[in-house]
Amino acid sequence: MPPVVTVALPGASVAESLPGTRPVTAPPEQDAAGVAGFVSADRPAPGRGAQTDAAAGRGGAAPGLPGDLPGRGGQPESGVTRRRALFSVVGVAAAAGLAAAGWELTRGGGSHPAAGPAPKKASTPAARARLDGVPRGGRIWSFATGQWVQSGIAVAHGAVYGGCTGLPAFALRASDGGRIWGTGPGNAPKGVVVAGDVLYLGSTASGVFALRTANGDPIWHADTNGPVVSGIALGPGAVYAGSYDGNVYGLRIGDGHKLWSFPAGSPVNSGIAAADGVVCAGTDHGYVYGLSASHGDRLWAFPVGGRMGSGIVMANGVVYFGGWDNKVHALRASTGHKIWEYTTGGIVQSGIVVAGGVVYVGSDDHKIYALRA
């Protein structure tokens, strides 16, 4: 199977209201010229992609998020809730930025690291030159999209892949942020995975897409009858995703044909993990399911004790995830048997990373935890 690149995706819940939501500052008003950078230029327009952070921050009212997702009772979620979901995903984008700068790219919410090696540190003379004189934490480049960027991020083939409110997907040069391609119009992808020369992503419009990494041309689209706000995972010959229609899907990797669907009973907002013949996904009704990767049959179900919308990681036969029960859970992936749990001071809906025998996870108690795996 080709090397896989993906990023931890929290897949934040889109409930009508969230306990303990806090006011946040809205992003600046959309600048139409920013979107034009995707569709009319190979490089960011002068004063756009190369503008300073201060200049990028001017503007007034914030644009809406892509298409109100169905909430409880058919009502759209509140603005505060949508912004909360946005900021949880922005944290993921920040993690991807570390990967682009040469840090190891993490894979929570996607396939186990065994699915492929992490992208290597940039080594070409041109890439190295871009770092000369830039302090740690300094900006190498930026690209103004004119829209909220709330997607997952993947880095492969010298490109950065993601999405924003006005476009289902885009590709930028990792070296300087120049536009390679952008497709549109549409809604921002959540799960984003690159394998070989194909980009797999879920859409808040509906379904899972496969695009060519070189130019964004569509290969296939599988309609899931609802927004895909979960992670995306790959297995041998299959793509796995959860949908707001309450199902987990197994799709044939070559053409998107539905191999199976599992009725999870409520929207699937969590990360998705697949390894060793098991697919794991969590639901709004507070269950994490272990499913047969080949047939979609339920192997086990674990009650979280609250809504489940965090990342999911499988490593060394163990699945790790968090929930609205304020806990981080570790289960035997094959059976769902609980190995351990850790109680934090708040809801756990962040991405999760396992590296070097340590589980890294964030909580709404304003803390990031490092737990022994």
Side-chain angles (χ1 to χ4, degrees):
M1 183 175 176
V4 174
V5 179
T6 183
V7 165
L9 179 70
S13 177
V14 289
E16 177 64 18
S17 62
L18 299 177
T21 51
R22 297 173 293 278
V24 294
T25 302
E29 186 175 17
Q30 166 186 337
D31 185 340
V35 177
F38 284 113
V39 297
S40 64
D42 290 334
R43 292 290 304 273
R48 300 298 177 192
Q51 64 186 324
T52 65
D53 291 334
R58 63 177 179 268
L65 288 176
D68 285 331
L69 300 182
R72 302 299 179 267
Q75 300 297 319
E77 75 266 16
S78 68
V80 172
T81 299
R82 288 180 287 170
R83 294 186 188 109
R84 183 188 182 100
L86 163 67
F87 276 82
S88 65
V89 179
V90 166
V92 176
L98 296 178
W103 293 60
E104 181 180 359
L105 191 66
T106 58
R107 293 178 174 79
S111 299
H112 179 265
K120 296 181 179 179
K121 195 171 182 177
S123 59
T124 64
R128 286 198 301 269
R130 295 293 301 175
L131 302 181
D132 291 344
V134 180
R136 295 191 66 177
R139 185 176 65 177
I140 301 171
W141 56 260
S142 65
F143 184 93
T145 67
Q147 296 277 4
W148 284 352
V149 178
Q150 52 180 339
S151 69
I153 298 289
V155 181
H157 312 309
V160 178
Y161 302 93
C164 63
T165 307
L167 298 168
F170 59 74
L172 307 175
R173 287 192 297 269
S175 60
D176 60 11
R179 182 187 72 88
I180 300 174
W181 54 260
T183 64
N187 291 313
K190 296 296 186 178
V192 178
V193 180
V194 174
D197 60 356
V198 181
L199 170 67
Y200 302 91
L201 52 90
S203 170
T204 55
S206 179
V208 178
F209 294 79
L211 308 176
R212 299 194 186 281
T213 56
N215 52 24
D217 285 352
I219 300 173
W220 54 258
H221 167 226
D223 192 353
T224 61
N225 300 313
V228 172
V229 295
S230 76
I232 300 286
L234 303 184
V239 180
Y240 306 103
S243 172
Y244 219 78
D245 68 359
N247 289 286
V248 180
Y249 289 89
L251 307 171
R252 191 159 58 203
I253 202 167
D255 57 11
H257 173 75
K258 185 174 74 174
L259 301 173
W260 53 260
S261 63
F262 172 80
S266 66
V268 180
N269 287 321
S270 72
I272 303 286
D276 303 323
V278 179
V279 177
C280 292
T283 71
D284 267 10
H285 284 179
Y287 277 87
V288 173
Y289 292 99
L291 309 175
S292 163
S294 57
H295 303 292
D297 297 333
R298 189 179 80 175
L299 304 176
W300 50 264
F302 181 84
V304 179
R307 190 171 294 132
M308 196 279 163
S310 78
I312 298 181
V313 172
M314 296 174 68
N316 301 318
V318 180
V319 56
Y320 304 91
F321 56 88
W324 281 37
D325 57 358
N326 297 7
K327 295 178 180 179
V328 181
H329 300 269
L331 311 180
R332 186 66 56 195
S334 59
T335 63
H337 174 74
K338 182 170 69 176
I339 300 173
W340 56 259
E341 64 182 33
Y342 179 88
T343 301
T344 73
I347 293 169
V348 179
Q349 55 181 344
S350 76
I352 296 180
V353 172
V354 178
V358 179
V359 179
Y360 300 92
V361 63
S363 169
D364 279 14
D365 65 1
H366 302 185
K367 295 179 181 178
I368 294 177
Y369 293 86
L371 310 173
R372 183 171 179 178

